[in-house]
Amino acid sequence: MPLHPEIAKFIAALPAPPKGPLDPVALRAADEAHVAPLEERLPLHAVEDVTARTASGEVPVRIYTPVEADRHGVLVYFHGGAFFLGSLETHDHVARSLAKETGLKVVSVGYRLAPEAAFPAGLDDCHAVVRWVAEQGESLAWDGTTLALAGDSSGGNFVAAVAARAHDEGFDRITHQILYYPSLDLDFDVDRYASLRENAEGYGLETAALKPFNAFYLDSGADPADPLVSPVKREDLTGLPPALVVTAEYDPMRDEGELYGRRLQEAGVEATVSRYEGANHGFVQHFSWIPEYHEVFARTRDFLARR
């Protein structure tokens, strides 16, 4: 189907990208400028900013409790932003919707960003917070059952990397992994995936922008050949948690996400791959107000309910 008309209208109104080298500070400021005021955000039972004291250091997290209850399952959320953008604020609405629709307590992670924090600082923070949740289960009122991971774009990369790293360390508490249009292969060879060519221009995120946007991460020491940087390159995917991989029809990175889902299935992992027609990269963050795309949260809820 064609690109959704509301998305097409938004893209048509976008200003031309700035010329010259990317300025991460300016781009972050522009990103934060679009955050909704507090009074307009989805209300929940409780939203609390705390500091997780972990093996990786002190990591800011925001905890969303959907309803009053003695115990909750927990979903740990990693925001997207090409490893240098995004924050607890820019993705606050995504975390709120996840909490509301799934009924789980959501722990959103304010991990360190490139280029100021070199690889693997952000990944270490995400991994450490998952461990922290399990260790602090009693104080978090975790029910000891569901411990899911979710992330969008580069946050989906961290979901896959954390799940693999935890598996290799023998940490078996992660019950689900949810990847929204994940960035899983940081080797941006356009011959590798058809979607890099088919969706190269005109859909918001363009193939030519992938290298410069991810350069902050790669130049900080992240090697695209490393499976913790490009999780699709991991050879053995057996034993990983059940996965929901959500892709977008008009996303340059669509095919790497779908390949990862197929490889999980071939490795015997329960994996569901769901492509959203008419959608582009970032639709969960930017266009979940459109009813057919808000449905992704219900699909997430149903996936989490399987176990």
Side-chain angles (χ1 to χ4, degrees):
M1 64 179 291
L3 186 67
H4 192 285
E6 292 293 337
I7 299 178
K9 183 168 65 175
F10 175 84
I11 291 173
L14 287 174
K19 295 181 179 180
L22 296 176
D23 181 346
V25 175
L27 289 168
R28 289 172 193 150
D31 208 20
E32 297 281 346
H34 295 95
V35 171
L38 186 60
E39 61 271 17
E40 295 179 8
R41 302 182 193 183
L42 180 68
L44 299 171
H45 173 66
V47 178
E48 181 183 13
D49 286 338
V50 304
T51 299
R53 291 175 171 82
T54 75
S56 184
E58 295 187 347
V59 184
V61 299
R62 182 168 293 173
I63 301 175
Y64 302 81
T65 304
V67 295
E68 186 174 7
D70 292 335
R71 300 285 178 186
H72 291 87
V74 173
L75 184 153
V76 183
Y77 173 65
F78 310 140
H79 67 77
F83 308 99
F84 80 98
L85 282 174
S87 68
L88 297 177
E89 287 294 323
T90 61
H91 288 67
D92 177 83
H93 60 296
V94 178
R96 286 174 184 262
S97 292
L98 283 168
K100 179 74 172 180
E101 295 295 332
T102 67
L104 300 180
K105 180 172 286 192
V106 172
V107 178
S108 184
V109 182
Y111 57 85
R112 288 171 289 173
L113 301 174
E116 294 86 351
F119 173 84
L123 176 60
D124 285 347
D125 288 351
C126 291
H127 177 261
V129 168
V130 175
R131 292 282 199 146
W132 174 82
V133 167
E135 293 164 1
Q136 300 295 319
E138 186 64 30
S139 63
L140 293 172
W142 177 40
D143 64 11
T145 57
T146 299
L147 178 53
L149 311 182
D152 59 299
S153 192
S154 55
N157 175 296
F158 280 160
V159 166
V162 169
R165 184 170 166 182
H167 172 73
D168 292 347
E169 294 174 354
F171 180 78
D172 61 358
R173 305 304 299 274
I174 299 170
T175 58
H176 306 77
Q177 52 175 325
I178 301 148
L179 302 84
Y180 301 126
Y181 39 83
S183 170
L184 298 174
D185 191 344
L186 272 65
D187 175 0
F188 302 111
D189 178 358
V190 296
D191 294 326
R192 192 179 299 275
Y193 304 106
S195 59
L196 287 172
R197 302 184 299 276
E198 295 169 1
N199 299 325
E201 296 181 346
Y203 301 112
L205 174 64
E206 302 199 341
T207 297
L210 294 176
K211 284 185 178 180
F213 266 74
N214 287 275
F216 296 115
Y217 190 54
L218 297 176
D219 291 349
S220 79
D223 179 358
D226 182 348
L228 289 178
V229 175
S230 297
V232 77
K233 297 183 184 295
R234 181 178 171 91
E235 292 185 6
D236 184 4
L237 301 179
T238 59
L240 295 178
L244 171 63
V245 182
V246 170
T247 64
E249 181 180 9
Y250 294 107
D251 181 1
M253 295 187 289
R254 178 196 68 207
D255 290 356
E256 63 200 68
E258 295 180 0
L259 172 62
Y260 188 67
R262 291 194 302 273
R263 291 199 56 231
L264 286 169
Q265 292 167 350
E266 291 165 359
V269 176
E270 179 189 346
T272 300
V273 179
S274 181
R275 180 190 293 186
Y276 278 70
E277 304 297 330
N280 68 338
H281 188 85
F283 78 89
V284 175
Q285 181 189 4
H286 299 297
F287 298 106
S288 60
W289 55 270
I290 299 173
E292 53 263 53
Y293 300 140
H294 188 81
E295 186 272 344
V296 72
F297 298 113
R299 185 162 299 189
T300 300
R301 176 200 64 214
D302 293 345
F303 168 71
L304 291 166
R306 293 181 191 170
R307 180 177 174 182

